[in-house]
Structure formats: C-alpha cells, structure tokens
Amino acid sequence: MRKLAWVLVALLSVSGCSSGLFSSGSGQKPAEEEVDSRRPTPPRDNRTRAKLHTDLGSLYLQSKNYSVALEELTMAIVVDPDYAKAHGTRGLVLYHIGEMQLADRDFQRALTLDPNDPELQNNYGWYLCQIGREKEAIPILQRAMKNRLYETPERAYLNAGACYIKLGDLDNAQGLIEHSLRIVPDNPQALLQLADINYQRGNLDLASRQLADLIRKAKPNAEALWLMVRVERKLGDRLAEARYAAQLKRNFPLSPEAHELLKGNFE
C-alpha cells in the first residue's frame, strides 16, 4: 500500500516551527553565525543552562544541523539530567539521524520525567507513527488532544489523522483532520491530507480541485507534488501530470518522491 509521506508535525515547544508540507517563502533558517551570536554567558543555575542548550539544539535541529544539535542537547542533559524537554528534543534529532533505539529511549525518558507534557506526548506519538507503530501512537496522541493546557492541539489531531491514514481507517482519519481544521482553518498540511483521503477513496475530481486550491495558497513541496502527479495520472490528464512531475524533479531531485517517480511506482 502506498504510504503518504507526511511531514513532521511534531513541533518544538521552544520554537513553534515545523518543516511543513508547504512553504510560503517566508522565514529563513538561522545562519550558523546567528545561532552562535545568541550564546549568552552560561549562568550558574543548572536548569537555566539546560534550557539554553536545549533552545540552541532546537535551532540547530530546525537548520538540519543534526550533529551540532546533538551536541547541544547532550550538554543540556549532562547539565540537568532531569530536564524532560532536552530528552524529548534529542529524541527528534536521533530519529533524523536514524538512531531509532536511542530516540525511543529518549522519548520515554522525557515522558517519565514529565508524563503530562502534551508537546512531548505529541512528539512521541508522531515518532511512533513514523516508524510503523501507529496503534501505540494513537492513545498517546489522544492524551495530548485532551490536555486543556496544550496551546496547539491541532497538531496532535493532525498526527493522529495521519496515523489512521496509514492504518487504512479513512473515516477516523478524516474526522480528526477536519477537527484540526476547525481549530486552525486552511492549514495546508491538513488540507493536503484530506486531498490524499479523497485520492484513496477514488474521489479524483475533488482531490484535484483541493490540490489546485492548495497550490494557489502556498508553494507545494515534494509530498504535495507527488500526490498531484498521481491524481492527474488517474484522471488521464497527461499534460498536468507531466507539469507536476517536472516540478517535482526540478525542485526536489533528491526526495524520496522523485525517486519513486523515476522508478514508476505510482501506487
């Protein structure tokens, strides 16, 4: 079964940033000099020092500088081994460098230290969905959804919806994604997932209209372009298919989606 490559919706609480399915062209990754210029003189309080290292690690994670992010977060944990956010953020870094066993250990340690933190719950649930443990992820994401102190519950709804898509439960997926849209209307990540659901159900005309509306609002990334290619291919519009395929190969030549296109794996 084709997998929807959905984006990291697990967001860092200190930064509020996401890799996103779409880019509007605003917001640039922090340059190395900019990150380094933010380093204050380390205070004596261990928790404050750990928070500073965690903030820096989060910035480097957003910049995809995983080695330096790992160093900063490890320093945070050395300074304050009981700081849950440092463990949780390091879990995200370890996931991105393929250290799944260590990532899982860090996520679990974070939730042992702070079991009611909804951001940690959301991030761990997202991680479990990414590695094929959807049934374990959904109860954890549900705890994040129900936490009244969670400032961005739409993220947990969206991640749970993506889990249900992977499980093939499109009805539950649609309900959760629509709930996330009631919290944050016109979220392109959620709208893309709804288009994917319609594609899987065979509602190709609706999926095509939804995708066309999306690209008028924001610049699509590889996941969105790949879905567009497959929708237009099934509709038989070869010109549209070729146009989106060319954009995918030109803008994201090293992406997994471009690789699938070159192999001809349309399902």
Side-chain angles (χ1 to χ4, degrees), residues 1 22 36 72 92 108 116 161-162 191 198-199 249 251 253 257:
M1 179 183 292
F22 291 81
D36 289 338
E72 290 291 345
L92 292 172
Q108 291 195 42
N116 297 317
L191 294 172
N198 282 313
Y199 168 75
K249 289 186 286 187
N251 297 334
E257 293 78 15

Side-chain angles (χ1 to χ4, degrees), residues 13-33:
S13 58
V14 293
S15 65
C17 296
S18 168
S19 64
L21 287 169
F22 291 81
S23 169
S24 62
S26 63
Q28 297 180 348
K29 296 175 181 176
E32 298 294 319
E33 296 81 5

Side-chain angles (χ1 to χ4, degrees), residues 111 114-119 121 147:
L111 285 170
D114 195 351
N116 297 317
D117 186 321
E119 196 71 37
Q121 292 166 345
N147 192 322

Side-chain angles (χ1 to χ4, degrees), residues 2-194:
R2 184 194 59 81
K3 293 182 179 178
L4 172 65
W6 30 277
V7 69
L8 180 140
V9 188
L11 294 113
L12 305 177
S13 58
V14 293
S15 65
C17 296
S18 168
S19 64
L21 287 169
F22 291 81
S23 169
S24 62
S26 63
Q28 297 180 348
K29 296 175 181 176
E32 298 294 319
E33 296 81 5
E34 180 185 352
V35 175
D36 289 338
S37 69
R38 300 176 187 178
R39 294 177 182 271
T41 302
R44 294 183 178 181
D45 176 67
N46 285 348
R47 178 55 54 92
T48 303
R49 290 172 59 199
K51 286 181 178 178
L52 290 171
H53 283 298
T54 300
D55 288 352
L56 285 168
S58 298
L59 288 170
Y60 281 115
L61 171 58
Q62 292 172 55
S63 301
K64 298 185 179 181
N65 189 337
Y66 301 128
S67 61
V68 181
L70 189 61
E71 290 176 7
E72 290 291 345
L73 293 161
T74 300
M75 281 191 281
I77 292 167
V78 169
V79 169
D80 187 348
D82 294 331
Y83 186 43
K85 289 189 184 299
H87 289 278
T89 308
R90 191 172 71 172
L92 292 172
V93 176
L94 290 166
Y95 163 78
H96 281 289
I97 63 175
E99 294 288 349
M100 302 306 176
Q101 186 173 357
L102 294 176
D104 195 87
R105 186 181 68 184
D106 262 354
F107 282 124
Q108 291 195 42
R109 176 61 177 159
L111 285 170
T112 298
L113 291 167
D114 195 351
N116 297 317
D117 186 321
E119 196 71 37
L120 294 175
Q121 292 166 345
N122 177 63
N123 289 353
Y124 188 40
W126 169 85
Y127 161 80
L128 291 173
C129 283
Q130 293 283 351
I131 64 171
R133 294 164 60 185
E134 298 88 358
K135 291 182 179 180
E136 296 176 58
I138 290 169
I140 297 171
L141 291 167
Q142 287 173 337
R143 291 204 295 273
M145 294 175 209
K146 295 174 182 177
N147 192 322
R148 298 192 177 206
L149 298 178
Y150 196 14
E151 295 181 356
T152 53
E154 72 280 358
R155 299 170 185 172
Y157 280 99
L158 194 56
N159 281 329
C163 277
Y164 275 116
I165 289 177
K166 294 185 74 177
L167 290 170
D169 187 343
L170 301 183
D171 290 338
N172 267 323
Q174 182 171 344
L176 288 162
I177 294 164
E178 288 175 346
H179 192 109
S180 78
L181 283 167
R182 287 194 289 271
I183 301 171
V184 180
D186 295 326
N187 181 347
Q189 298 174 19
L191 294 172
L192 177 58
Q193 288 193 5
L194 288 182

Side-chain angles (χ1 to χ4, degrees), residues 21-24 186-189 191-192 195 207-229 232 240 243-244 247 251-252:
L21 287 169
F22 291 81
S23 169
S24 62
D186 295 326
N187 181 347
Q189 298 174 19
L191 294 172
L192 177 58
S208 180
R209 291 196 300 273
Q210 289 172 323
L211 290 167
D213 185 52
L214 281 177
I215 64 173
R216 285 193 292 269
K217 297 177 179 177
K219 182 179 178 181
N221 78 343
E223 291 88 349
L225 288 169
W226 180 226
L227 181 57
M228 292 172 181
V229 168
E232 299 305 332
R243 182 169 68 251
Y244 294 133
Q247 289 182 47
N251 297 334
F252 306 98

